[in-house]
Amino acid sequence: MWVWLLRLYRLLHLYRLARRVGGRVRRAAARLRRYGPSVLLAALAAGLAYAAAVRLFGSEEAFFAPIAAVVCAGIAAGQRIRRALELAVGVAVGLTAADILVHVIGVIGAGAVQLAVAVGLAMGTAVLLGTSSVLVNQSAVAAVLVVALAPQGGNPLFRMGDALIGGAVALALGALAAPDPRRAVRRAGGEVLAHLAMVLRGLSEALEHSDPARAERMMAESARVEARVGELDKALAVARESARLGRRRRSAQARLPVVLVRERLDMMAATARALARGTAVAVRYGQPVDQRLVTALDSLAVAVTELRRRVEGEGTQAREGARAAALRAAETASQLLAEDRPLTASVLVGQVRAAAVDILRATGLDQPHAVRLLTDAAGPPDRRPPGP
């Protein structure tokens, strides 16, 4: 008997281990699919920058072009062109400062002092130029590479040109051959809304089953929405850069649903956190839960899911579905306002109504129109229970 129990325990342990490993493998594969185009872009930029620098300055001087290309390609593919330019200029400042030090002063202090002086000179020059911390730090890294690794005896101007070639190649490839920014925007927006819908469904289940543990987990998940919003902001920044560079100039119109959603995401995330706190309080203290609140949260999850379809390009049908589900959620929850309910239930009703307005705004309605639709469907927010 004990032997069989031990075997069963081992099988369960192996099953859980296999699930954990499988989950990590899937997440790793998803990361590779997501960042694979940027990796290929950086590799291509390094090869082209090296080839261009060899042709202009010779193989012995083509040391920093691929380095600058890889660094700038990584920044240009995921952040701002300004930062990529700062990195390229920072490399050039560091190279020039260190090379001048080596050629004018020579080797002093058995290498360590020379390196320290080179880093100080490069960073001081960058600070005098009034640049950002990115450029200052990059100039220091370039100075270290010159003193510690780069072959000596070359022309400082050649190395500065080397670095600028690498940065220019990376920026050119980023403008011409980077992945379609609209796809990244839609994916990031869809991920935010999918996470938000998951939180709302989890809160509905926690209320329905009076499950404090699930409510606490949803509180933690609601706090993670902001991190996903940050990824959406990065994707939007890249898309705006592409539009400014003349690439896919009609992308602004294609991103319009995402832009509308982004304008309300901070409010939607705050409302989700408030709903999570209210749900946790209700189930923690065993307060009676009306099924209409559960249904309202389910309807909010449906509305957010429809909003996700709208962001991902489903069109007008998804927009109307989001509006209808949001109004249905507010109408169902607001029925509790005419009854004598605990304070926590009233707070949850208010948050459901606020979430419905946010969703309506995210579909393109202005504030007065959204409030008018909400009032027509769910009544005013100050309804009181009938007297005795």
Side-chain angles (χ1 to χ4, degrees):
M1 179 65 179
W2 292 108
V3 173
W4 285 105
L5 288 176
L6 180 61
R7 289 178 179 177
L8 180 60
Y9 172 78
R10 289 176 176 173
L11 286 175
L12 288 174
H13 178 71
L14 289 174
Y15 172 72
R16 292 171 181 168
L17 180 62
R19 286 193 62 183
R20 287 198 298 269
V21 172
R24 291 177 180 177
V25 169
R26 287 192 297 272
R27 288 192 294 271
R31 288 195 301 271
L32 183 59
R33 287 194 301 270
R34 183 170 185 175
Y35 295 107
S38 297
V39 172
L40 292 176
L41 180 67
L44 181 61
L48 291 177
Y50 181 76
V54 167
R55 190 170 185 85
L56 289 174
F57 305 127
S59 59
E60 292 185 358
E61 297 290 346
F63 184 77
F64 287 97
I67 295 176
V70 169
V71 173
C72 293
I75 294 296
Q79 297 183 30
R80 295 184 176 91
I81 291 176
R82 177 182 175 182
R83 291 196 64 190
L85 288 171
E86 287 177 348
L87 286 170
V89 175
V91 169
V93 169
L95 292 177
T96 305
D99 257 329
I100 289 174
L101 178 70
V102 169
H103 282 75
V104 173
I105 302 178
V107 179
I108 59 174
V113 175
Q114 183 191 47
L115 190 145
V117 174
V119 169
L121 180 60
M123 295 183 72
T125 303
V127 169
L128 287 174
L129 293 175
T131 55
S132 68
S133 60
V134 174
L135 195 154
V136 173
N137 293 334
Q138 193 59 36
S139 64
V141 171
V144 171
L145 289 174
V146 168
V147 176
L149 298 177
Q152 302 298 325
N155 190 328
L157 295 178
F158 284 1
R159 291 187 180 174
M160 183 176 68
D162 205 25
L164 292 176
I165 285 174
V169 168
L171 290 175
L173 284 178
L176 299 175
D180 187 349
R182 294 172 297 181
R183 185 180 305 171
V185 167
R186 289 170 180 165
R187 181 182 63 243
E191 288 175 355
V192 176
L193 294 172
H195 190 88
L196 199 56
M198 180 272 295
V199 170
L200 293 170
R201 290 193 187 93
L203 293 176
S204 171
E205 294 173 1
L207 271 180
E208 184 174 18
H209 302 291
S210 297
D211 187 348
R214 182 180 290 272
E216 295 292 337
R217 286 199 300 273
M218 291 304 104
M219 282 186 65
E221 292 296 334
S222 67
R224 296 190 178 99
V225 174
E226 293 179 356
R228 294 184 179 273
V229 172
E231 293 297 320
L232 174 58
D233 288 339
K234 292 179 182 178
L236 285 170
V238 173
R240 284 191 291 268
E241 289 174 1
S242 297
R244 285 198 300 269
L245 289 172
R247 180 172 174 265
R248 302 181 180 94
R249 290 193 177 275
R250 291 184 298 175
S251 61
Q253 181 178 357
R255 295 195 317 271
L256 181 59
V258 186
V259 174
L260 290 173
V261 169
R262 177 62 189 93
E263 291 175 355
R264 306 303 301 177
L265 266 180
D266 293 331
M267 297 296 296
M268 293 169 69
T271 302
R273 290 196 298 271
L275 282 168
R277 286 193 296 269
T279 300
V281 169
V283 299
R284 186 184 302 130
Y285 295 104
Q287 296 181 6
V289 176
D290 195 291
Q291 183 62 34
R292 286 170 290 186
L293 268 179
V294 175
T295 303
L297 287 174
D298 282 334
S299 297
L300 279 183
V302 171
V304 173
T305 301
E306 290 296 308
L307 202 56
R308 177 189 178 186
R309 290 178 56 223
R310 169 68 170 162
V311 163
E312 293 176 345
E314 293 290 334
T316 304
Q317 184 177 1
R319 182 192 65 190
E320 297 303 322
R323 291 177 180 176
L327 292 173
R328 187 165 62 248
E331 179 183 7
T332 303
S334 296
Q335 295 173 8
L336 277 68
L337 294 176
E339 304 173 7
D340 189 9
R341 292 288 173 180
L343 178 60
T344 302
S346 299
V347 171
L348 288 175
V349 171
Q351 295 299 332
V352 169
R353 292 173 64 99
V357 171
D358 289 332
I359 292 171
L360 292 174
R361 293 289 309 278
T363 63
L365 299 179
D366 58 21
Q367 182 73 13
H369 193 182
V371 172
R372 185 169 61 252
L373 286 179
L374 178 73
T375 304
D376 292 343
D382 56 351
R383 284 189 289 179
R384 294 289 184 268

